[in-house]
Structures are given as structure tokens and as C-alpha cells.
Amino acid sequence: MEAPAPATVLPRSKHPIASRRLSTGAQKVLRRLLQSGRNACLVGGSVRDLMLDRRPKDYDVVTDARPEEVRRLFRNSRIIGRRFRLVHVLFAGEVVEVSTFRGAPDPDDQRRSPGELLVTSDNTYGTPRQDAFRRDFTVNALLYRASDRAVVDYVGGIQDLEHRALRVIGDPNVRYREDPVRMLRACEFAARLDFEIEDETLGAAFAHRRDLVKASPHRLIEELLQLLSSGRSAAAFDWMGRSGLLPVVLPEVDEVSGQSSGSNSFSKLGRLLDKRVRVGPEVPTAVLLSSLLLPRVVVGRDRLEAGGAKVQRRRLHQLVDDVVADFGERFALSAARRSRMKKTLETFQRLCEEPRSSRTVQSLVRREAFGSALELFALLSSATGSGAGALEAWQRHAAAAPAGKPEPVARPRPRRRRRRRRRRHL
């Protein structure tokens, strides 16, 4: 059997990561683990970003201590997860995620059909080398060793960072079948880092794109939200199109992506959403998700109005209901999240119409979903180059509206029971 290749180790003098650049929470976790005699390393996106001279969004630590031992070391912590147990160490304004070095998953622990490779349980512990090979992409598997501040590379991640290439660790045909969400993450990372997806990694995604339907819908929607809030969603959707993932994950985006449909161009809408995310403030989740459905709603309304006759409001509401129901079922959205999307898109529909009276205007402005609907209207107006006058009018109405509670939801009054008259017996 061929011996494994030796790790590449960059001493402190050969890499750009300085301990003072780490967050306070990450420094405390690493120091406490070292003081307790444990191996402790930074791993994942934080090491990758620091090597690229970027500011990490969060910090992940990996150690040889088991979750229960980490929990005893940090009173401000909690154990989470079933597929793979982690410890969250909680600080003011920061959460440091601590995991135990993983080994190859035990085949006997998996709940899957014969012939499938899907990993459903991943609580097998291992060595730093084994842990590196269990991670998804080479650039995410670098370790920053707290004991000597060296960067350790078992998988060729340093070279891929230099070449700005995204590569799956191991055989992508196997790794994608183990966890189909990796295909979506490849598109997200390539877009966020402005990297190229290596040919074999991209080709295997196309070959196994249908396996995405086996992934947990809850994991898919969280990955999708991360992608939408990255400020690089348009580039990610482009990679999803090139890899064949887009029609599988987001058919409503695929059907209008890169082409004009009616008065809407989704590719331009995506770039505008990215700009809005980067500028801030934080975009509400209802806006992020509703923006994916906006082209289908707009095109659907155009079709309903094609005959020239006025469309009844119940038919417009039904259009929104159908679009949201399809999306919500696919991603197992909560009732609350579906409700916010429906209210946002229904209110958006009203903003596309000329208001009948000042009372109608005030009623719409006081709706809880008005702010999110106005965000969608602004995105669509910029994407299509039309509706600027109506947008300015709604923005004026919003600015002039008195601060206060949103309009209460109208509820039907309970019917009063009529008092029965007593018959007199003569």
C-alpha cells in the first residue's frame, strides 16, 4: 500500500496569518484548549480567508477533545447537531464553532438504500489528516495549528489557493453522492471567492445534479439563503447554470435566467440584489426569497392581463399562492416564512397598480409587508427601467406615513346569536 504524501507545513514566517488578526473569541477557545493539553487548530473558511487576506465571517476550531469534554471546558457553550455533533462556544456578538477531528463515516451507521453513498451519520472521530480528507474542498481543509502557529496542508489546498481553483477533495463522483449539497456549495464558493471550478469537479456536478433532490430541504434552503446574502448570487447562479444545477434546484430562476421574459430580466435583477446586499442595511429574508419568485409572478400577471380585461384580485392572490406553495413545498418552508413571502408578493402586486384613493395608499403603507414589497418594487424598477415615477410616489408616501403600529389584520366579527323569544302559553 502506497504511503500517504507528507503534509505541507508553512511555518509562521511563511504565511500571512498573525494571531492578533483572529477574533477575541477564537483566541480564547484556542488558548483554553491548549492549556488543557489538547490539540487545537483553526480550520475551514477562516484559514482560507486569512490566507487570502480577507476578513473571516466566522471562526471554526477543530480539536482532539470530544464534544462532552469541550462542553465541560466552556461554561458558555452548548452541544448541537445530530448528523455531526458540534459545540458552540458563545461570546458577546460571536459564536465559535468547535468540532472534533473526524474520521471516515461508519457504513453501519448510515440510513440509506443499498448502493447509495449518502452520509446520514458522521460522528466517527479520527486524526487531523483524516479530518482534512473528510472536508469538502481543498481550500477549506487548511489547518492553522495553535501550538506553533503553522499552516498545515494535507490535501493541496495551498496550491489551489495560489491558482484560485476550487477542487473537491477525493473523487467528486463519490463525494457528491455522499453529500449532494456540496454541488451547491461549489457554486457559492466559486462565486464568493471569484475562483474557477476545476474541470473534474464541475463535470461531476453535472453528472450527479439529480442527486440534489435527495438532500435535506432544510439544508438546501439555508445554503440558498447564504448564497443570496453573499452579494455574489448572480455569479453563483451562473455557475449553477453551467453545472446543470439551476433547473433542478430553482426551475423558476432557470426559466428566465439570462433572457428577457416580458418586462423582466432575472440576470439583471440578481446583480441589483447583490448590489443592495453589499451596500446594506441587511436585506430581509422575505425579500431575498421573494426575489427568486418575482419573475414568475410578474410573467404570470402579464399572462392574466394579456386579454386587456381587468383581472380580479382573487386570481392575482391565487397566482401568488400557487407560486409560493410550489417553492415552499420543495424547500419545506415553515408556515411563518411562507406567510411572509405571500404577504410581500401580494403587497408588491398592489404597488404595481394605481391606487384608487388616499385611503388605499395609507392602508398599503401601514401593512407589515410594505417595506419588503417596496424593496421588490425598487429592484424590478431598476431592472426593467420602468416604473420610476410610481416608485418615487410610493417612497414619498412611505416617508410621509406617521410612525406607529402596522395596520392590524382585519378579522371577521363573530356572529351574535339572536336571543330566542319565549313563547307564552295562554
Side-chain angles (χ1 to χ4, degrees):
M1 185 175 177
E2 187 178 346
T8 299
V9 179
L10 298 182
R12 172 64 194 92
S13 59
K14 298 293 185 180
H15 66 76
I17 303 177
S19 58
R20 65 178 181 277
R21 295 180 60 194
L22 276 57
S23 72
T24 302
Q27 292 183 49
K28 287 181 178 178
V29 170
L30 292 171
R31 185 164 53 246
R32 177 77 62 83
L33 287 167
L34 283 178
Q35 290 171 350
S36 67
R38 294 298 185 177
N39 188 353
C41 307
L42 277 185
V43 70
S46 56
V47 183
R48 177 201 68 216
D49 289 345
L50 289 166
M51 290 288 285
L52 293 171
D53 200 27
R54 294 170 175 244
R55 184 176 181 178
K57 184 177 65 174
D58 47 39
Y59 290 84
D60 294 340
V61 171
V62 65
T63 178
D64 55 357
R66 300 294 175 91
E68 297 79 8
E69 296 170 313
V70 176
R71 176 70 183 88
R72 286 195 292 269
L73 282 173
F74 299 95
R75 294 175 59 188
N76 54 322
S77 67
R78 63 187 179 195
I79 296 177
I80 67 163
R82 286 187 294 179
R83 183 174 180 269
F84 182 64
R85 298 175 74 213
L86 306 164
V87 179
H88 279 176
V89 185
L90 312 174
F91 299 95
E94 181 183 9
V95 177
V96 178
E97 189 171 276
V98 184
S99 62
T100 306
F101 291 120
R102 288 182 295 176
D106 188 343
D108 295 334
D109 290 341
Q110 312 308 317
R111 299 183 302 277
R112 61 194 181 196
S113 303
E116 281 196 355
L117 299 178
L118 191 69
V119 175
T120 60
S121 179
D122 204 6
N123 281 320
T124 305
Y125 302 123
T127 65
R129 176 185 288 275
Q130 289 173 328
D131 184 87
F133 276 92
R134 285 301 305 152
R135 296 188 180 271
D136 48 11
F137 305 103
T138 59
V139 296
N140 291 343
L142 302 176
L143 299 172
Y144 171 81
R145 203 160 53 196
S147 58
D148 59 0
R149 301 179 185 180
V151 170
V152 184
D153 177 17
Y154 294 101
V155 297
I158 292 174
Q159 185 177 18
D160 284 338
L161 276 181
E162 293 172 351
H163 294 146
R164 305 187 71 80
L166 196 74
R167 184 190 312 271
V168 165
I169 298 170
D171 183 352
N173 294 289
V174 173
R175 303 307 304 280
Y176 286 155
R177 291 174 66 192
E178 290 177 341
D179 184 2
V181 176
R182 287 184 178 127
M183 293 182 276
L184 195 59
R185 288 168 62 83
C187 298
E188 178 191 346
F189 284 131
R192 184 184 294 178
L193 301 171
D194 197 20
F195 278 21
E196 289 291 316
I197 300 179
E198 179 265 337
D199 289 344
E200 190 178 358
T201 298
L202 183 63
F206 184 83
H208 297 284
R209 62 195 185 279
R210 299 293 175 192
D211 286 344
L212 265 173
V213 299
K214 302 175 184 177
S216 161
H218 300 289
R219 287 188 65 210
L220 284 175
I221 195 63
E222 291 311 313
E223 288 295 336
L224 191 57
L225 283 171
Q226 285 188 40
L227 186 155
L228 290 168
S229 58
S230 69
R232 296 284 296 168
S233 67
F237 287 137
D238 180 58
W239 278 112
M240 289 170 67
R242 292 167 64 179
S243 60
L245 302 181
L246 201 58
V248 178
V249 183
L250 293 171
E252 50 273 286
V253 175
D254 179 65
E255 65 192 22
V256 294
S257 183
Q259 62 178 344
S260 292
S261 183
S263 60
N264 177 55
S265 171
F266 184 80
S267 58
K268 187 178 290 187
L269 192 68
R271 291 194 296 271
L272 290 167
L273 178 64
D274 288 340
K275 183 178 179 180
R276 166 66 182 83
V277 168
R278 291 193 294 268
V279 171
E282 185 177 351
V283 181
T285 299
V287 175
L288 295 175
L289 294 180
S290 297
S291 69
L292 299 175
L293 307 184
L294 189 58
R296 186 170 277 186
V297 170
V298 171
V299 170
R301 179 167 185 153
D302 287 346
R303 288 171 181 162
L304 288 174
E305 295 177 338
K310 186 176 180 180
V311 181
Q312 293 179 333
R313 191 162 309 286
R314 63 177 179 81
R315 295 188 67 188
L316 296 176
H317 283 183
Q318 188 61 53
L319 168 65
V320 170
D321 286 349
D322 292 343
V323 172
V324 173
D326 178 46
F327 184 85
E329 184 175 349
R330 199 173 341 125
F331 291 101
L333 295 186
S334 66
R337 194 167 268 178
R338 294 190 200 201
S339 176
R340 284 191 290 270
M341 291 175 66
K342 285 173 61 175
K343 289 176 181 177
T344 296
L345 288 166
E346 285 173 359
T347 305
F348 161 80
Q349 297 258 40
R350 297 294 301 274
L351 302 189
C352 296
E353 305 166 3
E354 187 73 28
R356 296 179 180 178
S357 64
S358 59
R359 185 175 180 179
T360 301
V361 169
Q362 293 305 314
S363 175
L364 288 171
V365 169
R366 291 173 61 197
R367 284 189 178 187
E368 186 179 0
F370 175 78
S372 296
L374 189 59
E375 289 249 27
L376 288 183
F377 194 87
L379 287 171
L380 185 67
S381 177
S382 297
T384 61
S386 62
L391 174 62
E392 290 175 6
W394 283 116
Q395 289 172 336
R396 284 197 304 271
H397 294 315
K405 295 182 179 179
E407 183 180 29
V409 178
R411 295 179 179 174
R413 292 183 178 180
R415 293 181 61 184
R416 294 181 62 182
R417 295 183 63 182
R418 294 183 61 182
R419 192 174 179 182
R420 293 184 63 182
R421 294 182 63 183
R422 236 174 162 183
R423 295 182 63 183
R424 290 185 177 182
H425 296 279
L426 300 177

